[in-house]
Amino acid sequence: MGVAMAISITVITTANRARRFLQTEVARIEPILDSFRRSGQLFSGKPLIIGAERQTEVFAAASIACVEIETDHDLSEHFPSHPDLVLMAMTPAQRALPFTGGLEGEHFKARIDFFFTGGHVLYTSAEGVRRAALADRLMNLTGLLERQTIIYHLPQGGIGLMNPHAMTRFVISPGVPDLPRDAWVAEAS
Protein backbone atom coordinates (compact mmCIF):
# COMPACT_ATOMS: atom_id res chain seq x y z
CA MET A 1 0.00 0.00 0.00
CA GLY A 2 2.58 2.55 -1.08
CA VAL A 3 0.04 5.04 -2.44
CA ALA A 4 -1.77 7.69 -0.43
CA MET A 5 -4.84 6.31 1.19
CA ALA A 6 -7.62 7.52 3.41
CA ILE A 7 -10.53 5.75 5.02
CA SER A 8 -13.66 7.20 6.48
CA ILE A 9 -15.30 5.07 9.16
CA THR A 10 -18.97 5.56 10.02
CA VAL A 11 -20.46 3.76 13.01
CA ILE A 12 -24.28 3.75 12.93
CA THR A 13 -25.82 2.87 16.28
CA THR A 14 -29.16 1.44 17.29
CA ALA A 15 -29.96 4.93 18.62
CA ASN A 16 -29.95 5.87 14.90
CA ARG A 17 -26.87 8.06 15.35
CA ALA A 18 -23.91 8.10 12.98
CA ARG A 19 -20.40 8.85 14.23
CA ARG A 20 -17.72 9.50 11.61
CA PHE A 21 -13.97 9.05 11.91
CA LEU A 22 -11.15 9.67 9.43
CA GLN A 23 -7.73 8.10 9.12
CA THR A 24 -5.17 9.15 6.49
CA GLU A 25 -1.97 7.58 7.84
CA VAL A 26 -1.21 4.31 6.04
CA ALA A 27 0.59 2.89 9.10
CA ARG A 28 -2.63 3.35 11.13
CA ILE A 29 -4.99 2.22 8.36
CA GLU A 30 -3.37 -1.18 7.89
CA PRO A 31 -4.22 -2.52 11.40
CA ILE A 32 -7.81 -1.29 11.02
CA LEU A 33 -8.19 -3.10 7.71
CA ASP A 34 -6.49 -6.23 9.07
CA SER A 35 -9.05 -6.37 11.88
CA PHE A 36 -11.78 -6.87 9.26
CA ARG A 37 -10.35 -10.28 8.41
CA ARG A 38 -12.12 -11.24 11.65
CA SER A 39 -15.24 -9.22 10.75
CA GLY A 40 -17.48 -12.05 11.94
CA GLN A 41 -16.42 -11.19 15.48
CA LEU A 42 -17.11 -7.45 15.21
CA PHE A 43 -20.57 -7.71 16.80
CA SER A 44 -19.84 -10.67 19.09
CA GLY A 45 -19.82 -8.79 22.38
CA LYS A 46 -16.41 -7.14 22.61
CA PRO A 47 -16.74 -3.32 22.46
CA LEU A 48 -15.50 -1.40 19.42
CA ILE A 49 -12.95 1.18 20.51
CA ILE A 50 -11.95 4.06 18.24
CA GLY A 51 -9.40 6.37 19.74
CA ALA A 52 -7.19 9.29 18.86
CA GLU A 53 -5.30 12.03 20.64
CA ARG A 54 -8.35 14.21 21.37
CA GLN A 55 -10.77 11.47 22.44
CA THR A 56 -11.59 7.78 22.60
CA GLU A 57 -15.07 6.40 21.89
CA VAL A 58 -16.23 2.99 23.04
CA PHE A 59 -19.26 1.39 21.34
CA ALA A 60 -21.11 -1.56 22.88
CA ALA A 61 -21.23 -4.28 20.20
CA ALA A 62 -24.98 -4.80 20.69
CA SER A 63 -25.63 -1.09 20.03
CA ILE A 64 -23.98 -1.06 16.59
CA ALA A 65 -26.32 -1.43 13.60
CA CYS A 66 -23.72 -0.90 10.84
CA VAL A 67 -20.07 0.02 10.32
CA GLU A 68 -19.11 1.55 6.97
CA ILE A 69 -15.57 1.94 5.62
CA GLU A 70 -15.44 4.43 2.74
CA THR A 71 -12.39 4.43 0.50
CA ASP A 72 -11.53 4.39 -3.17
CA HIS A 73 -9.20 1.39 -2.64
CA ASP A 74 -10.25 -2.23 -3.17
CA LEU A 75 -10.97 -3.78 0.23
CA SER A 76 -12.01 -7.24 -0.98
CA GLU A 77 -8.86 -8.94 0.36
CA HIS A 78 -9.77 -7.82 3.88
CA PHE A 79 -13.31 -9.24 3.92
CA PRO A 80 -14.74 -12.72 3.39
CA SER A 81 -16.65 -12.97 0.13
CA HIS A 82 -20.16 -14.34 -0.32
CA PRO A 83 -20.49 -14.83 -4.09
CA ASP A 84 -24.02 -16.25 -3.71
CA LEU A 85 -25.30 -12.84 -2.56
CA VAL A 86 -23.87 -9.40 -3.37
CA LEU A 87 -25.51 -6.45 -1.62
CA MET A 88 -25.04 -2.84 -2.75
CA ALA A 89 -26.31 0.09 -0.68
CA MET A 90 -28.62 2.26 -2.75
CA THR A 91 -28.29 6.03 -3.08
CA PRO A 92 -31.39 8.22 -2.52
CA ALA A 93 -31.58 8.74 -6.30
CA GLN A 94 -31.57 4.96 -6.90
CA ARG A 95 -34.26 4.46 -4.25
CA ALA A 96 -36.49 7.02 -5.97
CA LEU A 97 -36.48 5.02 -9.23
CA PRO A 98 -38.90 2.13 -9.74
CA PHE A 99 -37.10 -1.13 -8.96
CA THR A 100 -37.30 -4.07 -11.32
CA GLY A 101 -36.02 -7.41 -10.23
CA GLY A 102 -36.85 -11.05 -10.21
CA LEU A 103 -35.49 -14.32 -11.50
CA GLU A 104 -33.59 -14.74 -14.76
CA GLY A 105 -32.54 -18.35 -15.08
CA GLU A 106 -30.37 -19.18 -12.08
CA HIS A 107 -29.71 -15.50 -11.26
CA PHE A 108 -31.86 -13.20 -9.18
CA LYS A 109 -32.03 -9.48 -8.56
CA ALA A 110 -34.01 -8.02 -5.67
CA ARG A 111 -34.26 -5.00 -3.45
CA ILE A 112 -33.76 -5.72 0.25
CA ASP A 113 -34.50 -3.07 2.86
CA PHE A 114 -32.98 -3.81 6.27
CA PHE A 115 -34.60 -2.30 9.38
CA PHE A 116 -32.70 -1.95 12.66
CA THR A 117 -33.55 -1.34 16.29
CA GLY A 118 -33.73 2.43 16.79
CA GLY A 119 -35.01 3.23 13.30
CA HIS A 120 -31.98 3.01 10.98
CA VAL A 121 -32.90 1.63 7.53
CA LEU A 122 -30.39 0.38 4.97
CA TYR A 123 -31.71 0.10 1.40
CA THR A 124 -29.85 -2.33 -0.83
CA SER A 125 -30.03 -3.99 -4.20
CA ALA A 126 -29.13 -7.66 -4.12
CA GLU A 127 -27.86 -9.93 -6.86
CA GLY A 128 -26.86 -13.53 -6.70
CA VAL A 129 -27.20 -17.07 -7.86
CA ARG A 130 -30.42 -18.88 -7.06
CA ARG A 131 -29.78 -22.20 -5.37
CA ALA A 132 -31.16 -25.23 -7.20
CA ALA A 133 -32.60 -27.03 -4.18
CA LEU A 134 -35.67 -25.57 -2.46
CA ALA A 135 -34.20 -26.32 0.98
CA ASP A 136 -31.08 -24.28 0.09
CA ARG A 137 -33.22 -21.37 -1.13
CA LEU A 138 -35.24 -21.36 2.10
CA MET A 139 -31.99 -21.51 4.12
CA ASN A 140 -30.72 -18.43 2.27
CA LEU A 141 -33.96 -16.59 3.11
CA THR A 142 -33.68 -17.10 6.86
CA GLY A 143 -29.90 -17.53 7.01
CA LEU A 144 -29.20 -13.79 6.75
CA LEU A 145 -30.40 -13.28 10.32
CA GLU A 146 -28.21 -16.15 11.52
CA ARG A 147 -24.94 -14.76 10.13
CA GLN A 148 -22.46 -13.03 12.43
CA THR A 149 -22.05 -10.16 9.95
CA ILE A 150 -23.63 -9.19 6.63
CA ILE A 151 -21.31 -7.44 4.19
CA TYR A 152 -22.51 -4.84 1.68
CA HIS A 153 -20.80 -2.55 -0.81
CA LEU A 154 -21.01 1.24 -0.69
CA PRO A 155 -21.87 3.08 -3.93
CA GLN A 156 -19.15 5.69 -3.23
CA GLY A 157 -16.54 2.91 -2.74
CA GLY A 158 -15.85 0.79 0.27
CA ILE A 159 -17.55 -1.85 2.36
CA GLY A 160 -20.20 -1.88 5.07
CA LEU A 161 -20.95 -4.43 7.76
CA MET A 162 -24.43 -5.02 9.20
CA ASN A 163 -25.11 -6.44 12.64
CA PRO A 164 -27.92 -9.00 12.16
CA HIS A 165 -28.48 -9.05 15.94
CA ALA A 166 -29.54 -5.37 15.80
CA MET A 167 -31.93 -6.02 12.91
CA THR A 168 -35.68 -6.10 13.44
CA ARG A 169 -36.70 -7.22 9.95
CA PHE A 170 -35.91 -7.06 6.25
CA VAL A 171 -38.19 -6.67 3.25
CA ILE A 172 -37.48 -8.36 -0.10
CA SER A 173 -39.01 -6.95 -3.30
CA PRO A 174 -40.28 -8.53 -5.45
CA GLY A 175 -41.68 -11.17 -3.10
CA VAL A 176 -39.96 -14.53 -2.72
CA PRO A 177 -41.70 -17.22 -4.81
CA ASP A 178 -40.63 -20.17 -2.62
CA LEU A 179 -41.88 -19.54 0.91
CA PRO A 180 -41.54 -21.96 3.80
CA ARG A 181 -44.69 -24.03 4.50
CA ASP A 182 -45.28 -22.20 7.79
CA ALA A 183 -45.05 -18.71 6.21
CA TRP A 184 -48.17 -16.55 6.38
CA VAL A 185 -49.39 -15.37 2.98
CA ALA A 186 -50.87 -11.84 3.12
CA GLU A 187 -50.28 -8.49 1.39
CA ALA A 188 -49.00 -5.47 3.33
CA SER A 189 -51.65 -2.77 3.63
Side-chain angles (χ1 to χ4, degrees), residues 2 6 15 30 32 40 47 62 74 89 91 95 100 128 131 145 159 164 166-167:
E30 208 44 55
I32 294 170
D74 181 15
T91 65
R95 290 194 321 255
T100 56
R131 301 285 177 118
L145 292 174
I159 300 271
M167 204 177 289

Side-chain angles (χ1 to χ4, degrees), residues 22-164:
L22 179 66
Q23 183 52 261
T24 58
E25 295 178 37
V26 173
R28 294 185 183 248
I29 291 172
E30 208 44 55
I32 294 170
L33 295 179
D34 282 342
S35 74
F36 288 113
R37 293 184 202 280
R38 300 173 305 281
S39 62
Q41 299 169 1
L42 182 63
F43 307 118
S44 66
K46 187 177 176 188
L48 172 62
I49 302 169
I50 302 177
E53 189 175 316
R54 290 187 318 181
Q55 68 183 31
T56 298
E57 291 195 39
V58 181
F59 296 90
S63 73
I64 301 171
C66 299
V67 175
E68 297 181 343
I69 310 299
E70 278 182 56
T71 183
D72 54 2
H73 289 274
D74 181 15
L75 299 178
S76 59
E77 71 182 69
H78 297 282
F79 294 91
S81 68
H82 295 282
D84 56 329
L85 177 66
V86 177
L87 296 170
M88 174 67 78
M90 298 173 75
T91 65
Q94 291 168 325
R95 290 194 321 255
L97 297 173
F99 184 83
T100 56
L103 298 172
E104 283 187 30
E106 61 184 32
H107 295 281
F108 69 87
K109 184 176 182 182
R111 176 178 167 159
I112 306 178
D113 300 339
F114 295 93
F115 295 82
F116 296 88
T117 302
H120 177 64
V121 182
L122 177 64
Y123 304 94
T124 67
S125 63
E127 293 187 31
V129 177
R130 187 172 191 242
R131 301 285 177 118
L134 177 61
D136 289 340
R137 291 196 303 268
L138 294 177
M139 259 309 254
N140 277 350
L141 179 63
T142 59
L144 279 177
L145 292 174
E146 296 167 3
R147 289 185 183 178
Q148 295 293 322
T149 303
I150 301 171
I151 296 173
Y152 59 99
H153 300 271
L154 302 174
Q156 66 273 28
I159 300 271
L161 300 137
M162 281 184 259
N163 180 358

